Amino acid sequence: MSESASTEQSRFVLQTVGFDARFPNTNQTRNCFQNYTDYFKCVAAKGEDFAPCKQFKRAYNSLCPNEWIAKFDEQRENGTFPASLEP
């Protein structure tokens, strides 16, 4: 393995979301949706640079399929998202 490949690999850390007692079952659909809405509520209240908001984003990016995230984003843009994102 070349030195540059080794350096590049050590730069990225793959992690998944830890246990959340609110969602003890194996189906994580609700957990995905809740973290997505929590992220946008947090951003609306504190701004994108607020560090705890980034945890919600990491969680929904880990839990939600990309197609769902794209659909949620589209619904938010169209004003048809099924949950309130007001803080």
Side-chain angles (χ1 to χ4, degrees):
M1 182 182 309
S2 71
E3 187 175 317
S4 64
S6 176
T7 303
E8 186 174 323
Q9 285 180 345
S10 65
R11 198 171 57 185
F12 296 105
V13 177
L14 297 177
Q15 293 179 322
T16 189
V17 179
F19 178 75
D20 188 338
R22 298 175 299 169
F23 307 101
N25 297 327
T26 56
N27 186 342
Q28 295 295 304
T29 303
R30 176 82 174 132
N31 194 355
C32 155
F33 185 79
Q34 189 64 53
N35 278 288
Y36 184 88
T37 56
D38 286 347
Y39 172 72
F40 286 100
K41 287 179 180 183
C42 185
V43 167
K46 302 288 185 175
E48 283 190 48
D49 295 330
F50 189 59
C53 293
K54 293 177 183 179
Q55 176 58 32
F56 292 125
K57 186 172 186 171
R58 282 191 297 271
Y60 83 72
N61 277 317
S62 175
L63 293 167
C64 301
N66 292 335
E67 294 82 15
W68 292 9
I69 295 171
K71 176 94 172 170
F72 294 160
D73 290 342
E74 182 181 316
Q75 289 175 334
R76 272 189 317 105
E77 291 168 5
N78 295 335
T80 60
F81 191 70
S84 171
L85 298 176
E86 297 299 316

